[in-house]
Amino acid sequence: RVEVKMDAPHLPEQSAEKRVRIVGSELVENYTVYVIEVNVGYHSWTVKHRYSDFHDLHEKLTVEKKIDKHLLPPKKIIGKNSKSLVEKRQKELEVYLQTLLSRFPASTPKVLSNFLLFHFYEINGIAAALAEELFNKGEQWLAAGEVFLLRPLQLYAVTQQLKLAKPTCANGDATADLGHILDFTCRLKYLKIPGMKAAVGTSNIEEQRLPFDLSIFKSLLQIEISDCDAGQIKGLPSLKPTLATLSIHLSASSMKEILVPEASEFAQWEPEGVDTDCPVTAIIPRWKMLTTLDMSRNFIRCIDDSVKLIPEVEFLDLSYNELSLVENLQHLYNLVHLDLSFNKLTVLEGVHTKLGNIKTLNLSGNQLETLSGLCKLYSLVNLDLSSNRLAQLDEIKNIGTLPCLEKLSLADNPMCIIPDYRTKVLAQFCDRASEVCLNGTTTTEKELDTVEVLKAIQKAKEAKDRMANHEKKRPSCLVATDCSLVVFHTRSEEPVSNLEELTEALEIELVVPYTNVETFQFDIPEVCVSLKVKSNNKRWFFFSDAQSLKEMHSCIVPHVNQTNEQVLNSPNTQLFIQQFLNSWDFEESEGSVKSGHLIHFLNLDSSTSDTNVADNPQFPKNSLPSDVLSQISLFESDQDHTSNPMILFLTSRHLCILKVDFVALASQDPSEASMMRSCSKVTRIPLSFTLLDPKQGCSCRAVSNSRLFYDEHVLELMVGHECLTVVFALPQDKFMFLREFTQLRSNLREIKTIALQRTKKGHLKVHSCPAPATATERIPTSSVPQEVPRPHLTLSLLYPAKSLIQQLMEDNQCPSHLSLSSSLLLISSLKGDQLVHFFHNNIAEMENEELKHILWTSVLFYRSPDVEMTACVLLSTKAIYFILDDKASSLTNQSNFLISFCFTFKLKDLQSVNVGLFDQYFRVMGPSADHIISCLTRDSYGTHRFLQQLMMVLSLLEKVPSPEPSELDFYSQFGKKSTGKMVNYELVHSSKVKFIYPSEEEIGDLTFIVAERKTPQVPSHSFNILLYVLVFQVHIVPGQTTQNQTVLQPKTLILTSTGVFLLDEDHISYPLPEFAKEPPQRDKYRLTDARRIRDLDRVLMGYQTYPQALTLVFDDVPGPDLLCHLTMDHFADGDGKGDRTQMFGGAEGEVQWCIFVPGADSRERLISLLARQWETLCSRELPVELTG
């Protein structure tokens, strides 16, 4: 048998010659079997038949195809197995078969095809057999939803048949029509393609070399392919729209040839939707539906960048490959389960940056010796590390702190031979030992008892080592001479009063020539330098201000560089912080990093409270309290008095606290780039949730003898509801931090917390301050520590005119329908000067900022269009402040403080103002989605007043004209006093802010909704809009008590000449912002109910249902124009019937609308217009009844 390499151009087509010959015979028992060799193109196979098989074939052909009866050699009874007869018959039978093939050159009869096994090895026969099988059972298999098996040879045959220029049913048998296969493959969902390495049957056909096309499958959800050459698999990209599970085994040498087969044609490619500046030759669509990818048991050497195309994958199996690195998996944001077992992994570095959300990780069967790269996989639940090279129990510490780990497998590792290794491993998990299942066995009570003993021994050992290795911190002096470096320290920690005492208190600790300096480097930029001396295991860490450290560093480096090149220069602070963060975190918010500050956290217990600390002898006069260092905490349960300090960094959006284990750092090699990261931990706190503690005094400050120390070193912060006391090691650091903190927090473009202090009676706590003799006594509501730098204020701002204060008091009237939290309730109670001082002390962020107007309203944010919340809007000369409602505003431990939230909209960011119909609301817009806010005043007077004040304030911020030449003279440019120019429906203010008013198009949208319901008898002028008003529909919710609860549902009410309409309206999304890429999911107007004015029976007014609500009682008369007959999807979602039933009330056959109109003028106008139209239509006065 000759094996022939088969490539696509050489494979049999329609013109392939069919040849047959009998190559020999075999004697089986008492009959002779003839060995037939069939050749079709480059494919060949053997078939064995006895003479009786030939006879049966001939009988069938004579009946079906009218073959000559004498064409077959006759039977022989005597001597049929003799050698001469067999040789003669062999030649005759060969001629017989050749004659048959020449008789049917185009379409071989089915009976002859089966005789020569064409249905096993020849493409026409294979396709016909498959078509007939699918014709008979295809529908049953599709209905069963089971996995269907197709061999590569069958797919190859179908692929070749589709290339042939012949009918799909060439042999005339309808059951063998190729259309049956195509119909089946279009609907098939589950497919398995098992290839084989050996030749097929008795042929020379190797399935691995056969190309086949999968584009005939249109609905596949799952496919499994094995033992096929990936280069021969065509049409895989056509499965992207539907395929959810893809399994490839023993077929691929890279992931790219499966996921991106187009890469063989295009050198430069990128996934769709990715912005890139590099030239690309192809944009490749993603596998949007693929969630499971199994490429186990292949020959893959690396995880290439083709994974960019499978962002939705949750399950990835790459076991039994040849991987040596874990890379590029950061593109799989949804990856949950990963199998990398039985590869060639030796080390794992920083895998948490690539596997952020992983829950199950299988690393068995690799060559791992360390687990340091797994220490930050905080979401990991199941971990398999069996059959690796883990020998040291200390490696378990890297995974012992993982908070979610529940199942761990360590079987077949060298550490398993250690006595009691199970309990020693479980001890590394500390308090979570009972939650961890090791090697599939639940932890027993006996093991837990042993774990507790080991934990106690370990803690004692660590404490002993810490006390033995940790040097006591003390004030030191670093001196650089021309030939050596000298370190002095003080003999005593007692403070000194002058330079002479300081000089006498110094003693030499270390003198080292520059030639003996191994390293002198910045470990923490601008905060800490370290010194390492040759032939000495100790390291010295020096903390000081940035300027002093830089000067010392620049002074020492030239001398050391003459003999040592291991000295590191000061790294950039921003790069230093970046190494602790994920790349996307840093790019998103950490644009700039301020220099660090050395701090301690101070915990004040009951012994230092206000009541007993004043007489405490531990606080000597004018000195550092001796008890301060003992209160320093690193947030650990086993604190010692020599705990390490922390470093405080400020970024543009976060407060970063760096905790460094200097004991562990000292034992690291200084030349290692990752030494700081392995010994440190960074905690990030959003600046928006951090504010200065608003308490005027604290327990620390109550001690007069220590007031100087606390004023210079101590700062109290509030993070959410928690209070933190920070001790700055250097006094200048505190004031530098305050300046940077205030500046960065004022620049935040997001919602920030504010704290309000109140007395036991529930009012804001106030403190008196001196006032001019001519002025009345004014009381500020200062709730910020005095040392905090506040915006500069002139006397005119501190003591505004009485007319302005009177106007602010009138504006500070919250409408009754708005629900207020405790914090907003306190603000609404402020009177007179309290408003001004509250604004300057708690809200204002810029210099010379004056409060001009107060508006109480409901607001909507573009980011959360479905949440309508109450807000107190403060308009100043520099910004618009939105103080938001917060129901959970009370602090848990500080009952005299309330937390609220404030969003600052600076006027310099204001681009346009959209004014709603009839001045019922307005929307302010800025440069981003965060700066789009709608104020639903539901009061035309309130909207008008605010916009009038806003225009007045904007006039003060009028932008200076450009210095370009102009036809007008200089004075005419600055002599303009107009507020703006009206163009179409836009008023362009002189400050370049656009005030956009409702256009005819917007009125037309509302008119269209009304006009769609008109009947031919109604004239078109009857649908002119007379009134547009934002109202609340009052719903009664039965309560558990005798009184029912009322719920206000926002609605838009429209009154025309003949009807009244209720709509749901989107007040925030329209008009679309410029950055919007697609229209909102909701229409602007959605009609919910409509009634004719002529069907109005009476109007109820009073306090029975809701104070000052109107109840419109309609006769429930069906008509051709009622909403229930309105089927247009533009107006309703089909559940309008449910809305109508909620309005039923009163007598049978009546429908009640209970409407609350917040604005008094709008309410009066609605009643007036409704009465006038009703009288016009019904020729009598509208009945109005007063309720209790």
Side-chain angles (χ1 to χ4, degrees):
R1 180 181 302 169
V2 180
E3 293 188 359
V4 182
K5 182 177 181 180
M6 295 171 290
D7 295 325
H10 302 147
L11 293 173
E13 299 287 343
Q14 185 179 16
S15 60
E17 182 184 359
K18 301 175 182 177
R19 302 186 306 275
V20 61
R21 65 192 185 97
I22 300 179
V23 295
S25 61
E26 298 176 359
L27 183 62
V28 179
E29 294 181 355
N30 61 345
Y31 60 88
T32 301
V33 173
Y34 298 94
V35 181
I36 309 168
E37 182 181 87
V38 185
N39 291 271
V40 180
Y42 290 93
H43 292 170
S44 65
W45 62 92
T46 58
V47 187
K48 296 181 179 180
H49 285 295
R50 58 188 296 184
Y51 177 82
S52 59
D53 297 334
F54 283 89
H55 185 270
D56 293 341
L57 169 67
H58 188 65
E59 291 290 333
K60 294 177 182 177
L61 287 176
T62 54
V63 174
E64 297 178 6
K65 301 297 180 179
K66 309 302 181 184
I67 299 297
D68 185 5
K69 295 183 178 180
H70 305 289
L71 186 60
L72 181 70
K75 291 184 177 182
K76 297 289 184 180
I77 301 177
I78 301 175
K80 60 180 179 180
N81 293 328
S82 65
K83 183 177 180 181
S84 58
L85 180 62
V86 169
E87 291 178 353
K88 179 182 178 183
R89 178 172 285 182
Q90 177 178 326
K91 294 179 181 179
E92 292 174 343
L93 291 176
E94 180 176 318
V95 172
Y96 172 74
L97 292 176
Q98 292 174 348
T99 304
L100 292 179
L101 288 180
S102 61
R103 175 77 180 273
F104 307 102
S107 177
T108 307
K110 182 178 180 181
V111 60
L112 178 59
S113 175
N114 292 340
F115 182 84
L116 296 178
L117 300 185
F118 278 9
H119 61 295
F120 286 160
Y121 304 112
E122 193 263 340
I123 61 172
N124 294 290
I126 294 173
L130 178 61
E132 183 176 353
E133 186 179 20
L134 294 179
F135 173 78
N136 295 321
K137 300 181 180 180
E139 291 297 333
Q140 299 177 14
W141 289 334
L142 288 174
E146 298 177 353
V147 177
F148 187 73
L149 188 145
L150 281 175
R151 303 201 63 86
L153 182 57
Q154 292 175 298
L155 289 172
Y156 162 76
V158 175
T159 303
Q160 295 300 318
Q161 286 285 81
L162 292 175
K163 294 180 180 179
L164 300 179
K166 68 173 188 178
T168 59
C169 186
N171 61 0
D173 186 2
T175 61
D177 195 319
L178 196 62
H180 301 316
I181 300 177
L182 299 181
D183 176 68
F184 180 83
T185 57
C186 284
R187 294 185 289 159
L188 183 64
K189 294 184 179 181
Y190 310 100
L191 174 64
K192 183 176 181 179
I193 307 175
M196 57 188 305
K197 294 181 179 179
V200 179
T202 62
S203 72
N204 68 341
I205 302 174
E206 296 182 19
E207 286 189 315
Q208 278 191 326
R209 300 180 182 274
L210 297 180
F212 55 86
D213 194 344
L214 298 176
S215 59
I216 59 175
F217 297 94
K218 308 299 183 182
S219 305
L220 275 187
L221 300 178
Q222 173 183 321
I223 185 172
E224 180 181 349
I225 304 174
S226 60
D227 283 305
C228 297
D229 187 354
Q232 304 293 355
I233 304 174
K234 312 297 181 184
L236 262 176
S238 65
L239 306 180
K240 291 181 180 180
T242 61
L243 195 64
T245 301
L246 172 61
S247 300
I248 304 283
H249 308 297
L250 301 171
S251 304
S253 58
S254 72
M255 300 180 70
K256 185 175 296 185
E257 60 185 352
I258 297 297
L259 300 177
V260 200
E262 302 94 334
S264 60
E265 303 177 18
F266 305 103
Q268 301 293 332
W269 60 272
E270 285 291 340
E272 63 176 349
V274 175
D275 296 330
T276 178
D277 297 330
C278 302
V280 295
T281 55
I283 301 297
I284 309 298
R286 302 176 189 267
W287 296 77
K288 296 182 179 179
M289 304 302 293
L290 191 65
T291 58
T292 301
L293 176 60
D294 182 358
M295 296 192 71
S296 60
R297 300 183 185 277
N298 282 288
F299 318 100
I300 300 172
R301 295 179 178 270
C302 69
I303 305 174
D304 53 47
D305 57 354
S306 62
V307 296
K308 295 179 182 178
L309 294 176
I310 51 172
E312 302 300 326
V313 164
E314 300 176 6
F315 299 82
L316 177 61
D317 189 349
L318 293 174
S319 59
Y320 292 93
N321 279 285
E322 301 172 12
L323 299 175
S324 57
L325 287 176
V326 179
E327 52 189 342
N328 287 319
L329 293 180
Q330 67 271 17
H331 302 293
L332 304 184
Y333 314 113
N334 299 299
L335 187 61
V336 177
H337 303 276
L338 176 62
D339 191 342
L340 295 175
S341 59
F342 296 95
N343 278 277
K344 298 180 179 180
L345 300 175
T346 58
V347 64
L348 300 172
E349 287 294 339
V351 291
H352 65 279
T353 61
K354 307 175 184 67
L355 305 174
N357 300 317
I358 198 72
K359 291 185 178 180
T360 300
L361 179 59
N362 190 346
L363 295 171
S364 62
N366 283 280
Q367 303 166 22
L368 298 176
E369 297 180 0
T370 177
L371 303 179
S372 58
L374 305 178
C375 61
K376 295 186 178 180
L377 294 179
Y378 299 122
S379 59
L380 192 61
V381 178
N382 303 317
L383 177 61
D384 191 345
L385 295 169
S386 58
S387 302
N388 276 277
R389 298 179 180 177
L390 300 172
Q392 302 298 324
L393 286 173
D394 287 344
E395 293 299 327
I396 307 300
K397 292 181 180 179
N398 293 297
I399 59 175
T401 57
L402 299 182
C404 300
L405 190 61
E406 296 179 359
K407 294 183 180 180
L408 174 64
S409 179
L410 293 171
D412 298 324
N413 275 284
M415 68 168 61
C416 295
I417 65 175
I418 299 175
D420 298 327
Y421 95 97
R422 275 185 59 88
T423 53
K424 293 177 181 178
V425 167
L426 293 171
Q428 307 293 336
F429 291 89
C430 300
D431 296 335
R432 295 193 63 249
S434 60
E435 303 173 15
V436 177
C437 177
L438 180 59
N439 295 339
T441 304
T442 307
T443 308
T444 64
E445 290 295 332
K446 183 178 180 180
E447 287 177 331
L448 288 177
D449 293 340
T450 308
V451 166
E452 291 299 322
V453 175
L454 292 176
K455 284 163 53 179
I457 296 174
Q458 183 68 18
K459 282 188 177 182
K461 181 179 178 182
E462 291 176 355
K464 182 179 179 180
D465 292 343
R466 187 163 53 244
M467 294 301 294
N469 297 329
H470 190 61
E471 288 288 342
K472 187 175 183 181
K473 297 184 291 291
R474 64 176 68 186
S476 301
C477 177
L478 196 60
V479 178
T481 68
D482 56 351
C483 62
S484 60
L485 185 63
V486 184
V487 179
F488 293 90
H489 68 260
T490 58
R491 296 187 182 92
S492 173
E493 293 187 2
E494 292 296 328
V496 295
S497 58
N498 53 53
L499 183 59
E500 182 178 355
E501 291 182 8
L502 176 62
T503 306
E504 293 177 355
L506 290 178
E507 63 180 18
I508 296 178
E509 180 176 350
L510 175 69
V511 178
V512 54
Y514 291 129
T515 55
N516 289 338
V517 174
E518 182 176 336
T519 58
F520 186 80
Q521 65 187 33
F522 270 97
D523 286 328
I524 304 175
E526 304 181 0
V527 176
C528 173
V529 293
S530 66
L531 170 65
K532 181 75 166 62
V533 180
K534 296 179 181 177
S535 67
N536 194 329
N537 294 328
K538 286 187 178 181
R539 282 180 70 185
W540 287 262
F541 297 92
F542 301 98
F543 300 88
S544 185
D545 61 281
Q547 185 64 28
S548 300
L549 291 178
K550 288 180 179 179
E551 291 177 357
M552 180 61 65
H553 187 268
S554 61
C555 182
I556 294 176
V557 165
H559 297 287
V560 178
N561 277 343
Q562 297 175 5
T563 57
N564 193 323
E565 297 181 355
Q566 291 187 2
V567 179
L568 303 180
N569 292 325
S570 171
N572 181 274
T573 307
Q574 184 166 328
L575 296 178
F576 177 79
I577 287 294
Q578 187 173 359
Q579 67 177 318
F580 298 100
L581 307 178
N582 295 323
S583 58
W584 53 86
D585 289 335
F586 194 87
E587 293 171 0
E588 173 190 0
S589 62
E590 314 301 337
S592 61
V593 181
K594 302 298 182 182
S595 59
H597 308 283
L598 185 67
I599 65 164
H600 294 277
F601 282 108
L602 185 66
N603 291 337
L604 295 171
D605 54 19
S606 58
S607 64
T608 56
S609 61
D610 291 338
T611 57
N612 57 16
V613 78
D615 300 327
N616 196 324
Q618 292 183 343
F619 295 96
K621 183 176 181 181
N622 296 329
S623 67
L624 173 68
S626 60
D627 194 43
V628 168
L629 291 179
S630 67
Q631 299 178 58
I632 292 172
S633 169
L634 286 180
F635 304 108
E636 297 177 354
S637 58
D638 53 342
Q639 294 300 320
D640 63 324
H641 295 336
T642 58
S643 58
N644 292 323
M646 299 189 190
I647 317 299
L648 197 64
F649 291 94
L650 279 174
T651 70
S652 58
R653 293 184 60 189
H654 289 90
L655 180 72
C656 298
I657 302 172
L658 174 65
K659 176 184 175 182
V660 183
D661 186 352
F662 286 97
V663 176
L665 185 63
S667 62
Q668 298 284 335
D669 184 359
S671 60
E672 291 184 8
S674 60
M675 63 171 183
M676 178 59 70
R677 183 170 182 175
S678 62
C679 302
S680 308
K681 180 180 179 181
V682 167
T683 301
R684 291 197 309 163
I685 303 173
L687 280 182
S688 57
F689 294 153
T690 308
L691 68 157
L692 303 175
D693 198 323
K695 290 182 290 186
Q696 282 292 329
C698 64
S699 56
C700 322
R701 194 185 298 273
V703 186
S704 59
N705 293 337
S706 304
R707 185 180 301 275
L708 178 61
F709 169 77
Y710 285 104
D711 287 342
E712 293 182 349
H713 294 268
V714 180
L715 181 66
E716 298 183 18
L717 299 175
M718 292 184 64
V719 180
H721 289 175
E722 300 295 329
C723 297
L724 297 179
T725 302
V726 179
V727 181
F728 289 87
L730 303 175
Q732 64 269 26
D733 279 4
K734 174 183 176 181
F735 298 100
M736 187 183 302
F737 171 82
L738 285 174
R739 183 172 66 250
E740 295 170 352
F741 176 83
T742 305
Q743 178 184 358
L744 290 173
R745 200 169 191 271
S746 64
N747 292 335
L748 287 176
R749 292 186 172 184
E750 55 191 75
I751 296 177
K752 295 171 279 192
T753 57
I754 60 173
L756 308 177
Q757 187 177 8
R758 64 179 179 180
T759 61
K760 295 181 179 179
K761 294 182 179 180
H763 302 290
L764 277 174
K765 185 175 181 180
V766 296
H767 303 273
S768 61
C769 69
T774 57
T776 59
E777 183 180 1
R778 302 180 184 274
I779 304 175
T781 56
S782 177
S783 60
V784 178
Q786 296 176 357
E787 69 269 13
V788 178
R790 300 300 302 171
H792 175 71
L793 299 176
T794 62
L795 287 176
S796 60
L797 296 180
L798 281 173
Y799 304 100
K802 290 184 178 180
S803 59
L804 176 60
I805 291 182
Q806 182 62 32
Q807 185 60 52
L808 292 175
M809 289 180 60
E810 295 176 1
D811 295 335
N812 193 28
Q813 303 293 329
C814 181
S816 60
H817 67 278
L818 296 179
S819 60
L820 300 182
S821 62
S822 301
S823 55
L824 290 185
L825 192 61
L826 289 178
I827 297 174
S828 66
S829 66
L830 297 179
K831 305 296 181 183
D833 293 352
Q834 293 180 345
L835 280 169
V836 178
H837 291 290
F838 162 75
F839 172 75
H840 289 302
N841 289 320
N842 296 76
I843 306 299
E845 296 180 350
M846 287 162 278
E847 291 187 356
N848 294 326
E849 190 174 6
E850 184 178 9
L851 181 61
K852 286 293 187 181
H853 186 65
I854 301 176
L855 174 68
W856 288 89
T857 181
S858 299
V859 296
L860 287 172
F861 284 82
Y862 188 82
R863 295 285 193 188
S864 51
D866 297 323
V867 181
E868 180 177 332
M869 64 183 74
T870 303
C872 177
V873 184
L874 305 179
L875 173 64
S876 76
T877 53
K878 301 294 179 66
I880 306 174
Y881 298 95
F882 296 85
I883 305 177
L884 305 176
D885 180 77
D886 177 29
K887 298 300 183 184
S889 59
S890 299
L891 290 181
T892 55
N893 298 325
Q894 299 285 346
S895 59
N896 58 333
F897 285 98
L898 295 175
I899 291 290
S900 190
F901 299 93
C902 178
F903 181 80
T904 303
F905 196 128
K906 296 182 180 179
L907 293 181
K908 66 180 182 180
D909 295 330
L910 183 61
Q911 295 179 349
S912 62
V913 180
N914 297 96
V915 184
L917 288 169
F918 289 73
D919 292 346
Q920 288 293 295
Y921 69 96
F922 63 91
R923 184 180 73 167
V924 292
M925 292 187 61
S928 67
D930 294 324
H931 289 75
I932 301 181
I933 306 173
S934 286
C935 297
L936 309 181
T937 62
R938 296 182 172 88
D939 180 11
S940 57
Y941 175 75
T943 301
H944 175 74
R945 280 272 299 138
F946 184 87
L947 296 180
Q948 184 182 37
Q949 292 293 327
L950 179 59
M951 289 185 181
M952 187 183 304
V953 170
L954 290 175
S955 299
L956 302 176
L957 300 176
E958 182 175 347
K959 295 178 174 59
V960 179
S962 62
E964 299 177 358
S966 175
E967 297 179 357
L968 301 177
D969 62 338
F970 176 82
Y971 295 99
S972 62
Q973 287 288 335
F974 285 89
K976 294 181 179 179
K977 297 300 181 183
S978 62
T979 58
K981 182 180 180 181
M982 193 74 175
V983 179
N984 294 331
Y985 298 96
E986 295 183 0
L987 174 63
V988 184
H989 193 268
S990 56
S991 62
K992 308 303 181 185
V993 177
K994 293 182 181 179
F995 286 80
I996 304 172
Y997 291 87
S999 62
E1000 293 180 357
E1001 181 180 357
E1002 189 169 351
I1003 298 294
D1005 290 342
L1006 284 174
T1007 307
F1008 172 77
I1009 293 178
V1010 176
E1012 280 294 314
R1013 299 180 58 254
K1014 70 180 181 181
T1015 57
Q1017 296 79 14
V1018 181
S1020 59
H1021 67 80
S1022 300
F1023 302 96
N1024 294 333
I1025 296 176
L1026 301 179
L1027 182 64
Y1028 166 96
V1029 61
L1030 300 186
V1031 302
F1032 291 101
Q1033 187 172 0
V1034 182
H1035 293 276
I1036 307 300
V1037 179
Q1040 298 179 353
T1041 60
T1042 56
Q1043 295 182 351
N1044 294 330
Q1045 183 181 2
T1046 57
V1047 177
L1048 301 183
Q1049 183 179 4
K1051 293 287 183 180
T1052 296
L1053 186 144
I1054 297 176
L1055 177 65
T1056 67
S1057 302
T1058 57
V1060 190
F1061 302 82
L1062 284 180
L1063 304 94
D1064 289 330
E1065 182 176 354
D1066 187 345
H1067 301 282
I1068 189 67
S1069 303
Y1070 298 87
L1072 293 181
E1074 294 182 357
F1075 56 79
K1077 296 182 180 179
E1078 58 183 14
Q1081 297 180 353
R1082 300 180 301 181
D1083 296 325
K1084 181 174 176 60
Y1085 301 106
R1086 299 178 301 281
L1087 186 62
T1088 59
D1089 203 355
R1091 293 288 161 181
R1092 296 181 302 184
I1093 294 179
R1094 66 172 62 253
D1095 295 333
L1096 181 63
D1097 182 72
R1098 62 191 183 276
V1099 176
L1100 307 179
M1101 300 175 57
Y1103 290 82
Q1104 183 175 4
T1105 305
Y1106 189 84
Q1108 300 181 350
L1110 303 176
T1111 302
L1112 309 182
V1113 183
F1114 295 93
D1115 293 328
D1116 190 19
V1117 179
D1121 59 338
L1122 285 182
L1123 185 63
C1124 58
H1125 296 281
L1126 192 63
T1127 59
M1128 293 186 64
D1129 293 337
H1130 176 77
F1131 299 130
D1133 298 329
D1135 55 354
K1137 183 176 179 180
D1139 293 337
R1140 290 184 67 243
T1141 58
Q1142 294 179 3
M1143 290 171 261
F1144 287 166
E1148 184 178 357
E1150 291 182 347
V1151 176
Q1152 292 187 0
W1153 286 7
C1154 188
I1155 304 299
F1156 171 65
V1157 186
D1161 55 341
S1162 299
R1163 185 164 56 249
E1164 294 175 1
R1165 191 174 181 187
L1166 172 62
I1167 297 174
S1168 175
L1169 290 174
L1170 193 60
R1172 187 187 71 182
Q1173 294 305 119
W1174 196 86
E1175 184 175 357
T1176 301
L1177 295 172
C1178 301
S1179 302
R1180 56 192 178 94
E1181 292 186 358
L1182 175 66
V1184 179
E1185 302 177 6
L1186 297 178
T1187 62

